Amino acid sequence: MKNWMKLFLVWAAAFGLYAFARIEGSIVASTLWWSFFVLAAYWTIFMIYPVTAANVSRRVTTKRLVSGQTMDVELQVERKYPFLVGVVTLEETPPSRLATSTDVIITTVDRFFRRTETVHYEIEQIRRGIHVFDRTVLHVRDVFGLFDRKRTLR
């Protein structure tokens, strides 16, 4: 289901809870309404706010690369706007000719970082040649796991 349809269902549930709180008139019903209203506002801000607006720079920290050696890679994520999110992951596929195993490398980023975060990972048993990394996918999910947003970065 698309994220905007999920947001529509969240707000429909919020107004349904509001109608229930108005009809029922109890403190429990109004507490449900106000607590869900806060969640609906958070999810709306998450959908509108540019949480995937970030720059990623990659740097190889190994000084001399020899065939068969492990290569240390450092990713630096610079977020333009700080926002509390649930899970931030970087997904990267190394070049197919670089190593023996070309599985997708998924690294998690601390969700409370303000502007800059540095992530390290290793690629084992590199091969000879000139290799070019393609893209990095920035995957951002909210605290409750209802919405997720992706952005492909060069």
Side-chain angles (χ1 to χ4, degrees), residues 47-58:
M47 287 297 299
I48 296 171
Y49 200 81
V51 293
T52 57
N55 293 325
V56 176
S57 61
R58 183 184 303 109

Side-chain angles (χ1 to χ4, degrees), residues 58-133:
R58 183 184 303 109
R59 190 171 69 111
V60 178
T61 58
T62 307
K63 297 296 180 197
R64 184 174 173 166
L65 295 175
V66 179
S67 179
Q69 181 184 4
T70 55
M71 180 171 71
D72 297 324
V73 179
E74 179 180 284
L75 285 174
Q76 186 172 10
V77 183
E78 295 179 14
R79 189 163 36 176
K80 293 182 181 179
Y81 310 105
F83 186 70
L84 176 65
V85 293
V87 179
V88 179
T89 58
L90 291 169
E91 301 173 6
E92 192 162 42
T93 306
S96 60
R97 298 182 314 149
L98 176 64
T100 55
S101 64
T102 57
D103 297 333
V104 177
I105 299 168
I106 299 174
T107 55
T108 58
V109 180
D110 183 22
R111 67 177 172 254
F112 295 114
F113 79 97
R114 288 290 178 210
R115 294 285 182 186
T116 306
E117 181 73 17
T118 304
V119 178
H120 298 278
Y121 68 88
E122 294 180 348
I123 298 177
E124 296 181 359
Q125 298 178 353
I126 61 171
R127 295 182 182 166
R128 294 182 64 173
I130 298 173
H131 308 286
V132 178
F133 284 86

